């Protein structure tokens, strides 16, 4: 299999093996803007196996959402076949309208207010800003 390098765009590297499809779904990427390559279960020296996403002609992705899905990933911006920026992700401190509160008594299930969650601990546990309900995003 041959996957060429990209001239301009973004490479999302070091994704957990098998999570590439979930990342593409969450990021809601318009595939008509350019080429999209999803490479799954690639051998990795650090992680054993990993997924890689290459997005030709795309200039930005939602880092908060991506950090929430896989905070060990790396986002690489490429321009004229050269790396111009490399960002190591982390769990975002705050996410809005990404996690939905499952508490039926929370105001978010009654009113049209944003679902705001704040990071409660480094294991990936988030707390609803309104009702203090916890949602675990990552397994420890």
């Amino acid at each position: 299999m041959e996957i060429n390098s990209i001239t301009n765009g973004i490479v999302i590297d070091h994704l957990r093996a098998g999570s590439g499809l979930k990342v593409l779904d969450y990021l809601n990427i318009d595939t008509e803007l350019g080429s999209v390559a999803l490479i799954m279960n690639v051998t990795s020296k650090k992680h054993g196996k990993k997924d890689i996403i290459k997005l030709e002609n795309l200039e930005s992705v939602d880092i908060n959402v991506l950090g929430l899905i896989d905070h060990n990933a790396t986002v690489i911006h490429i321009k004229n076949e050269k790396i111009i920026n490399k960002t190591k992700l982390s769990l975002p401190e705050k996410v809005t309208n990404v996690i939905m509160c499952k508490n039926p008594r929370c105001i978010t299930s009654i009113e049209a207010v944003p679902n705001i969650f704040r990071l409660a601990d480094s294991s990936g546990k988030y707390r609803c800003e309104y009702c203090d309900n916890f949602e675990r995003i990552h397994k420890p």
Side-chain angles (χ1 to χ4, degrees):
M1 173 185 347
E2 184 177 329
I3 305 291
N4 295 330
S5 61
I6 61 176
T7 305
N8 296 299
I10 295 172
V11 175
I12 305 170
D13 199 0
H14 304 107
L15 291 165
R16 276 188 313 274
S19 68
L21 286 172
K22 183 177 181 181
V23 169
L24 285 175
D25 184 46
Y26 267 103
L27 293 176
N28 197 19
I29 293 168
D30 184 359
T31 55
E32 292 183 14
L33 296 176
S35 301
V36 176
L38 169 60
I39 308 141
M40 299 179 75
N41 295 318
V42 177
T43 302
S44 168
K45 291 178 185 175
K46 285 185 178 180
H47 306 291
K49 296 278 184 183
K50 67 179 180 178
D51 287 1
I52 303 169
I53 298 173
K54 292 185 175 189
L55 306 164
E56 181 82 36
N57 298 324
L58 191 70
E59 295 182 9
S60 68
V61 293
D62 187 342
I63 298 288
N64 273 339
V65 173
L66 188 53
L68 190 65
I69 299 167
D70 190 345
H71 61 281
N72 293 312
T74 305
V75 177
I76 304 163
H77 290 83
I78 297 173
K79 188 163 188 145
N80 299 322
E81 296 183 355
K82 294 194 186 327
I83 295 172
I84 59 168
N85 186 23
K86 191 182 273 193
T87 305
K88 179 80 173 117
L89 300 181
S90 61
L91 287 170
E93 291 295 320
K94 174 184 169 185
V95 290
T96 303
N97 292 331
V98 176
I99 306 169
M100 301 303 152
C101 188
K102 294 177 184 161
N103 179 357
R105 292 186 216 131
C106 182
I107 192 159
T108 60
S109 32
I110 302 165
E111 302 284 331
V113 296
N115 278 271
I116 301 171
F117 278 78
R118 295 198 181 273
L119 184 62
D121 63 36
S122 62
S123 71
K125 192 185 275 188
Y126 282 81
R127 181 188 313 250
C128 176
E129 191 166 272
Y130 304 104
C131 71
D132 290 333
N133 186 49
F134 282 106
E135 295 294 331
R136 181 172 297 284
I137 303 304
H138 298 282
K139 306 250 187 293

